[in-house]
Amino acid sequence: MKIFISRIIPAAGRQLLLDAGHQITEHAEKRPLTQEELLHYCASQDGFLSVGHSGLNETFFRRCSQLRGVALMSAGYDQVDLSAATRWKIPVSNTPGVLSAATADTAFLLLLAVSRDAFHNYQRILTGNWGFFEPTAHLGQELYGKTLGIVGLGKIGADLARKCKAIYDMKIVYHNRSASPYAAELDARYLSFSNLLRNSDVVSVHTDLNPSTENMFNAAAFNQMKKGAIFINTARGKIHDEQALLDALNREQLWGCGLDVTNPEPMSPTNPLLTMPRVCILPHIGSATRETRDKMAVMAAENLLAALAGERMPQVLNPAVYQ
Ligand code: DGY
């Protein structure tokens, strides 16, 4: 059967598809496809392995209704209209779990970098401002014994909480839609969103993007945070309001922030956040390790193979297609 892959993926995933005898077309150019190009390619395929695409909407599923499955190579699926996929009876899968450790590492990296202002201090070297030893300048803050508030205590949030607890004896509080299965192990206390904001020295976001979390971190939320707290977002940029974040930093309501996701992406190189002290920003590399990307590619390929064989995709997001 014919499969379209929208970006170059790790060989481990591609090989699985080839070994199963499928014919692959891979978009190998170093640029994202336009929506029209995506429709053009996908309209003649049996399967689609999607990397980083938005616009998987009603039009897409209508015009590509011959697809037997769409396998996302991502945990996030905010870019897909799952109701439309279900209406057109096209199963869609994602790659949950396998990227949790790498993404939690990225959150931890940002947390440490913000607490010691690592990115800004590095810039001082590049700009010839290393200067001299000043006992009261360039001071960070320590994390020992502080309170970490996790918004979305799933696998990634729990991985981060585990590290923070083991290394810095941090207390864990969390806010979720429902009780977290990780709460007991982490001795994590459930708090309302407002109470979490008021009580946390660090707030780290690990929820998915959906209508109830879009813009969740707006001016009102930042104003409720402890003065001098740290904000970390490795989930989705649309969960925070970037102007409100900038204002909160300018007013020193927040100590600093670490972002692996921005709104929009890519962030403009002239964004004022990039030159602010105690702000550490990475270009959405949460899951970017060789090991994790291999696992994601393999998981996406396995899901697509199942769909092409007429079987249930193991990580199906819209199981209603099978009813
Ligand atoms: C994910 O898997 O959702 C990552 O953010 C990459 O898109």
Side-chain angles (χ1 to χ4, degrees):
M1 288 189 191
K2 290 193 291 178
I3 295 173
F4 181 61
I5 309 181
S6 58
R7 289 187 197 164
I8 295 174
I9 62 165
R14 190 189 314 109
Q15 201 54 47
L16 270 184
L17 300 171
L18 290 172
D19 289 348
H22 297 297
Q23 187 191 320
I24 290 175
T25 307
E26 205 172 22
H27 172 67
E29 286 176 49
K30 286 207 179 272
R31 63 166 181 92
L33 290 164
T34 65
Q35 189 65 7
E36 267 316 305
E37 287 173 322
L38 184 68
L39 288 167
H40 165 78
Y41 283 116
C42 288
S44 58
Q45 305 291 315
D46 301 298
F48 175 34
L49 196 155
S50 172
V51 190
H53 275 289
S54 55
L56 302 189
N57 52 21
E58 172 67 31
T59 308
F60 173 85
F61 289 109
R62 178 168 39 77
R63 291 199 25 202
C64 305
S65 58
Q66 84 297 338
L67 284 171
R68 300 167 70 110
V70 173
L72 309 176
M73 195 182 131
S74 65
Y77 50 89
D78 46 279
Q79 67 279 34
V80 187
D81 182 342
L82 285 180
S83 317
T86 308
R87 273 195 296 283
W88 289 98
K89 297 249 172 287
I90 300 174
V92 179
S93 64
N94 68 340
T95 57
V98 288
L99 43 69
S100 303
T103 308
D105 278 348
T106 304
F108 189 67
L109 164 73
L110 285 169
L111 174 54
L112 238 60
V114 174
S115 75
R116 299 301 299 271
D117 201 9
F119 288 24
H120 195 249
N121 274 311
Y122 176 64
Q123 284 300 326
R124 288 201 300 118
I125 305 173
L126 298 182
T127 53
N129 288 310
W130 185 324
F132 55 97
F133 176 72
E134 293 175 80
T136 59
H138 317 299
L139 303 184
Q141 60 162 302
E142 295 182 5
L143 299 168
Y144 296 93
K146 294 204 169 152
T147 299
L148 169 66
I150 300 268
V151 176
L153 187 61
K155 213 162 182 288
I156 300 174
D159 260 9
L160 174 67
R162 234 173 257 126
K163 293 183 213 298
C164 292
K165 212 171 158 56
I167 301 171
Y168 296 119
D169 195 21
M170 290 178 84
K171 294 178 208 49
I172 313 297
V173 296
Y174 78 100
H175 179 74
N176 267 24
R177 270 174 300 194
S178 48
S180 167
Y182 303 99
E185 164 210 343
L186 294 162
D187 196 17
R189 197 155 53 97
Y190 175 88
L191 293 180
S192 68
F193 185 52
S194 290
N195 279 337
L196 177 134
L197 298 176
R198 280 194 263 271
N199 287 288
S200 303
D201 301 296
V202 176
V203 174
S204 190
V205 184
H206 301 283
T207 180
D208 57 347
L209 173 66
N210 61 55
S212 71
T213 59
E214 183 159 357
N215 245 8
M216 190 177 197
F217 282 85
N218 51 20
F222 290 127
N223 284 339
Q224 287 180 75
M225 282 174 69
K226 259 190 184 179
K227 198 163 169 64
I230 292 175
F231 174 70
I232 305 289
N233 188 359
T234 52
R236 283 291 181 267
K238 284 187 180 163
I239 295 172
H240 66 250
D241 172 338
E242 225 138 88
Q243 185 57 48
L245 176 58
L246 182 64
D247 292 345
L249 290 161
N250 275 328
R251 286 185 284 112
E252 296 191 0
Q253 166 67 20
L254 298 185
W255 160 272
C257 77
L259 307 177
D260 184 47
V261 290
T262 62
N263 183 18
E265 289 183 10
M267 178 179 252
S268 158
T270 60
N271 191 306
L273 284 169
L274 289 167
T275 50
M276 292 183 74
R278 301 185 297 277
V279 173
C280 299
I281 302 185
L282 293 172
H284 204 146
I285 57 153
S287 63
T289 66
R290 280 183 290 186
E291 295 84 348
T292 291
R293 289 287 164 83
D294 276 355
K295 287 182 205 156
M296 290 168 75
V298 166
M299 187 179 265
E302 285 171 347
N303 274 288
L304 201 51
L305 287 176
L308 295 178
E311 292 161 10
R312 186 185 173 99
M313 292 174 114
Q315 276 75 37
V316 69
L317 289 163
N318 53 343
V321 288
Y322 297 119
Q323 281 158 16

